[in-house]
Amino acid sequence: MDLSNKPGPTVERKNQHLRIVIEEDVEYRCSTLLEDLNLLHNALPELDFDQIDLKTTFFGKQLRAPLMITSMTGGAEFAEKMNHGLAEVAQLQGIAFAVGSQRVMLHHPEVTAHFAVRESIPDGVLLGNIGAVQLEEYPLATISGLVDQIEADGICVHLNPAQEMMQREGHRNFNGLLEDIARLNDHLQGRVLVKETGSGMSPEVIRRLAKLGVNYIDIAGAGGTSWTKVESFRANHSLLRTAGNTYAEWGVPTAVSLVAGRRLLSDDTCLIGSGGIRNGLDCAKAIAAGADIVGFARPILLGFIENGVEGASKLIEQYVYELKTAMLLSRAESVPALQDARRIYTGNLLTWLTQLGLIEGENSKS
């Protein structure tokens, strides 16, 4: 794998991020709490496995399965191969794909080809990506231009205050981001997906985004890749290295953010569940918790590193088979039926939901 340096600190930082995510132990020790969400087994499902319907609509296009390869870091030479390869996987499997942060394009236009992957996913949902803090730095037209430059269907705006706090060059001022997101969302006529980067979203944040009229929200909960831990590996200052480890487990678990999101959002808002999704049963539980689309990044990256497009495709096929199996065994013939399936909350998830006032009526749902 070639991660050779290119000029400029932004590209070099992306090189470091990609290497660390691939090579180091950067996952949360704490759980997504999806294991505390239990689907009720049905021994007489009265369903035909081959007739189970996974189709769903996302950004106005139909997906064959409610899955998404979420944003990963970009900017290195390898990221060009990765973006084109994973876009091809998404096209083959009929799922959505989001490129990594396009901020590097603003500093180095010569890397635009790393993100311009429409030819690899001609029919599918392709999303761009930019940090919310960049909305303060660049004109609205410049940010919206990132969508046009890669012929994307929309753009992800990522929230990463915990990660920023662990970077020497990171932002410390997060004032005004809500207003910036609102302006971009209006300018792009609702084609904005607001996402966390792995620390989850609290009920308060979900409410505020809903009030803005954001149509797509990815809670990206705690339990997958810890970006504070990633930053601790690249920190060259002991203060930040120690802080990165101190906050390695910080965040709202995936299952908690999903239940909160479904409680607080209207049916018209698309809720994406990501953060620590490691198999098809996790996908099923995320949908039962409230997700319309389920996202994952690091597992598919590792599959691509090991065996290219074929390896990443096989992982998606595994997820789809396991998701459909969970649907069969809980007598859910479609994604909406799985969202309505009976589930039982236990353990730490039940504690979180009870203390946040999100639990009433859930366990009795049939």
Side-chain angles (χ1 to χ4, degrees):
M1 178 177 59
D2 183 1
L3 293 181
S4 56
N5 292 346
K6 295 188 183 293
T10 302
V11 176
E12 173 56 18
R13 183 164 68 250
K14 300 304 181 184
N15 287 342
Q16 293 173 343
H17 283 160
L18 189 58
R19 179 192 63 77
I20 291 167
V21 168
I22 292 169
E23 298 177 0
E24 304 291 352
D25 176 14
V26 294
E27 295 212 336
Y28 276 83
R29 294 281 186 266
C30 70
S31 164
T32 62
L33 298 187
L34 286 170
E35 74 277 6
D36 288 341
L37 186 156
N38 301 277
L39 292 165
L40 199 62
H41 174 62
N42 191 314
L44 280 172
E46 293 290 324
L47 290 177
D48 180 344
F49 182 84
D50 292 332
Q51 297 300 312
I52 291 174
D53 186 6
L54 294 182
K55 292 191 295 294
T56 191
T57 300
F58 189 49
F59 277 84
K61 295 181 178 179
Q62 189 175 86
L63 305 180
R64 291 205 302 272
L67 304 177
M68 176 181 179
I69 302 172
T70 57
S71 304
M72 294 177 232
T73 190
E77 182 177 341
F78 176 74
E80 181 175 13
K81 300 174 185 176
M82 178 186 73
N83 282 330
H84 281 272
L86 294 182
E88 181 181 344
V89 171
Q91 174 72 20
L92 288 170
Q93 300 298 323
I95 65 175
F97 174 62
V99 300
S101 174
Q102 292 174 266
R103 180 185 181 188
V104 67
M105 286 172 53
L106 301 173
H107 296 273
H108 300 281
E110 68 273 13
V111 304
T112 298
H114 296 194
F115 300 88
V117 299
R118 176 52 82 185
E119 63 181 16
S120 297
I121 184 170
D123 306 317
V125 176
L126 171 65
L127 300 178
N129 184 280
I130 195 67
V133 292
Q134 271 75 64
L135 305 187
E136 283 281 299
E137 298 178 338
Y138 297 94
L140 189 61
T142 299
I143 298 297
S144 63
L146 295 172
V147 178
D148 297 330
Q149 289 175 59
I150 67 167
E151 301 177 71
D153 297 289
I155 192 166
C156 302
V157 174
H158 65 260
L159 313 174
N160 64 336
Q163 181 186 10
E164 294 280 348
M165 292 302 298
M166 306 307 153
Q167 295 178 344
R168 179 188 286 273
E169 69 278 18
H171 288 253
R172 300 294 185 267
N173 182 358
F174 302 97
N175 283 323
L177 297 187
L178 268 176
E179 186 176 336
D180 292 332
I181 291 170
R183 281 198 296 266
L184 182 63
N185 192 52
D186 288 344
H187 185 76
L188 290 175
Q189 298 179 311
R191 295 184 296 133
V192 170
L193 185 158
V194 179
K195 71 184 301 292
E196 238 287 343
T197 54
S199 295
M201 289 189 185
S202 67
E204 178 194 4
V205 168
I206 294 168
R207 284 191 194 98
R208 291 162 82 186
L209 291 174
K211 189 174 180 180
L212 287 184
V214 174
N215 296 322
Y216 303 91
I217 297 174
D218 182 353
I219 54 88
T225 300
S226 168
W227 281 95
T228 53
K229 192 180 288 189
V230 170
E231 295 299 342
S232 74
F233 279 102
R234 64 175 290 267
N236 55 14
H237 190 289
S238 61
L239 183 150
L240 294 177
R241 188 162 53 248
T242 300
N245 286 315
T246 298
Y247 284 88
E249 306 301 312
W250 178 268
V252 183
T254 299
V256 175
S257 288
L258 279 173
V259 174
R262 197 70 283 159
R263 282 264 182 190
L264 298 170
L265 298 172
S266 71
D267 291 340
D268 293 333
T269 305
C270 182
L271 183 64
I272 297 93
S274 67
I277 303 297
R278 298 181 176 92
N279 53 56
L281 181 56
D282 283 345
C283 294
K285 290 184 175 186
I287 292 170
D292 298 295
I293 303 288
V294 181
F296 36 82
R298 189 169 185 259
I300 201 82
L301 170 62
L302 297 179
F304 182 76
I305 293 293
E306 187 172 346
N307 287 306
V309 169
E310 182 181 359
S313 291
K314 284 184 176 178
L315 180 66
I316 302 299
E317 290 167 2
Q318 183 74 33
Y319 278 24
V320 167
Y321 182 82
E322 292 175 354
L323 169 57
K324 289 182 68 176
T325 297
M327 294 171 71
L328 178 83
L329 297 178
S330 54
R331 199 168 186 263
E333 72 279 5
S334 64
V335 173
L338 181 57
Q339 290 173 322
D340 285 337
R342 186 167 185 182
R343 61 268 191 195
I344 307 298
Y345 300 141
T346 61
N348 288 331
L349 177 57
L350 181 60
T351 300
W352 273 83
L353 299 180
T354 300
Q355 295 202 22
L356 287 171
L358 296 169
I359 195 61
E360 60 274 13
E362 287 291 329
N363 281 346
S364 62
K365 193 168 188 176
S366 58

